[in-house]
Amino acid sequence: MIKQITQIVSWLCLIVLVVPSVLFLTGKLQSLDQVKLVMLITTVVWFVSAPLWMWKEKNQ
Amino acid sequence: MAKFANIADPWMVLVFLVFGLIGLKQFINVTNTEITSFGDIWTLAKTQIWKGGEPLPGQVKFTFWHVTFFAWFCNMAMHVGMSDLSVFRFAKRSWYAVASGAGMYVGHFMAWLCASILYAYQLHLDPTDTNVLPGPLAYRAAGLTGLLCVIIAGWTTANPTIYRAGLAFQAVAPKWSRFTVTLITGAIATIAGMFPAIAMKLLGFVAFYGMLLMPMGAVIFVDFWLIKKFGLQSNYAQISKKRFNLAAGLTWFITLGACWWLVWTGRIEIYFVSLPGWFFAAALYIVLSFLYQKKLKAN
């Protein structure tokens, strides 16, 4: 169950990592600083959540 | 290191993509271009981003073909020169080799396109700022995430090469542990990379070391896949208990000599010489093996 949650969280992170830049490109988001902030947050969450299931899978 | 690279990989690819998206938008903003169709983006790309120009002093003018050849062959030492085998020996399935191809497309097409947008944007803002500094470029586009991406991309790209170089040094000094030689190799490479005089020569250097290993890649390919079809023996040195396969050695030296002569005399640029060189080495190895194996069998 925990593994599934961390999987979902980490995959969501990758999606959210890209979405702000797409919105920025289309003009729906004006502030580049906001894009950078969201990217930084998703990066941190990705690097915390991904090892919880990726490294576990490798060890199995 | 490999475990960390697995985690960094999907994230890194997407950050590279983001570089391109943000860079494109910055170009649209700074040129006040109105985008209503894909044609507008194409015009922007042709007139503002990839509009050509004179190369920096001391650098070769890169054409479309330079980029294409370089994208495929700048990692020639690994993928064609077969030094990838040092890592792929652990592969559980043969199709794991597609990782090389996939990495080339993402790293040498998508990432280069995105990086070139960022550099073109820098030049657009200040034509005199010709510094090729990935850190500031990435930081301007994607902040700390971009900076982190540059560091991690450099590190994860270098890891397998440092490992391979470590293995090579270990072959010279077998008593040293793999950990020690890898650490020393990494330290030397890191210090060397800190000097722009070396780092800025990277293009020519990777073309050179790709050329250096290319003939041996052809020898390995022919020896494994083709040589039996010509009625010749594979792994001949091992089977005939020789310490040196003269056919392989001569193929290496003659091919290198021929390639070097072509480059030295200006008949062909170093970026293009290795592709025909590979076919030359493959044919030469077959011919020399005919002569060499026949001679040893006669003795």
Side-chain angles (χ1 to χ4, degrees), chain B residues 42-289:
Chain B
W42 188 251
T43 307
L44 176 75
K46 280 205 300 187
T47 57
Q48 300 288 344
I49 304 175
W50 297 288
K51 57 184 179 182
E54 288 307 304
L56 294 177
Q59 301 289 337
V60 176
K61 164 85 177 168
F62 261 42
T63 63
F64 171 82
W65 293 111
H66 282 83
V67 177
T68 306
F69 267 70
F70 213 70
W72 278 104
F73 296 119
C74 75
N75 278 4
M76 177 169 259
M78 290 75 166
H79 312 317
V80 180
M82 297 284 182
S83 60
D84 264 350
L85 291 179
S86 60
V87 175
F88 278 131
R89 65 197 166 123
F90 299 112
K92 290 174 183 162
R93 305 273 185 279
S94 60
W95 61 263
Y96 284 12
V98 298
S100 290
M104 297 260 275
Y105 268 104
V106 173
H108 297 174
F109 284 94
M110 192 194 82
W112 284 9
L113 283 171
C114 297
S116 64
I117 294 174
L118 297 184
Y119 186 63
Y121 180 64
Q122 174 186 300
L123 285 179
H124 186 90
L125 294 179
D126 179 7
T128 60
D129 186 4
T130 54
N131 291 320
V132 187
L133 299 171
L137 284 173
Y139 185 73
R140 182 157 52 198
L144 279 175
T145 310
L147 204 55
L148 199 63
C149 182
V150 168
I151 294 167
I152 291 177
W155 186 45
T156 52
T157 307
N159 274 347
T161 303
I162 290 170
Y163 168 70
R164 281 187 279 263
L167 285 181
F169 282 127
Q170 203 181 24
V172 178
K175 286 181 182 171
W176 290 9
S177 75
R178 201 167 67 199
F179 179 82
T180 309
V181 286
T182 308
L183 202 65
I184 293 170
T185 311
I188 293 170
T190 306
I191 292 166
M194 288 162 69
F195 294 92
I198 297 173
M200 289 303 286
K201 295 285 178 193
L202 185 72
L203 293 182
F205 179 71
V206 292
F208 174 70
Y209 87 77
M211 187 181 84
L212 206 64
L213 286 187
M214 166 274 294
M216 203 36 75
V219 166
I220 294 169
F221 180 85
V222 170
D223 202 74
F224 189 82
W225 292 105
L226 298 180
I227 207 157
K228 285 180 183 168
K229 296 186 198 306
F230 292 92
L232 294 164
Q233 183 64 56
S234 180
N235 297 321
Y236 194 69
Q238 185 187 18
I239 288 165
S240 60
K241 295 189 171 48
K242 295 272 173 195
R243 286 180 65 85
F244 190 84
N245 184 334
L246 195 63
L250 281 176
T251 301
W252 195 0
F253 299 134
I254 292 171
T255 308
L256 270 186
C259 288
W260 188 246
W261 177 76
L262 287 169
V263 173
W264 188 255
T265 55
R267 284 176 166 78
I268 187 167
E269 280 185 51
I270 194 167
Y271 307 106
F272 302 116
V273 78
S274 292
L275 179 63
W278 189 93
F279 288 99
F280 175 78
L284 185 62
Y285 181 59
I286 293 166
V287 172
L288 290 175
S289 292

Side-chain angles (χ1 to χ4, degrees), chain A residues 11 14 17-18 21-22 24-27 32 35-36 39-40 43 46-47 50-51 54-55 58-59, chain B residues 3-4 6-8 10-11 14-15 18 21-22 24-26 139-145 148 152:
Chain A
W11 288 121
L14 292 184
L17 182 75
V18 181
S21 61
V22 176
F24 181 68
L25 177 64
T26 56
L32 182 57
V35 177
K36 290 177 182 175
M39 284 181 72
L40 187 61
T43 294
W46 165 259
F47 277 100
M54 282 180 86
W55 285 356
K58 292 275 169 195
N59 292 333
Chain B
K3 273 184 167 182
F4 183 77
N6 283 340
I7 287 174
W11 166 84
L14 293 176
V15 176
V18 168
L21 299 176
I22 291 174
L24 188 59
K25 178 62 177 173
Q26 287 175 321
Y139 185 73
R140 182 157 52 198
L144 279 175
T145 310
L148 199 63
I152 291 177

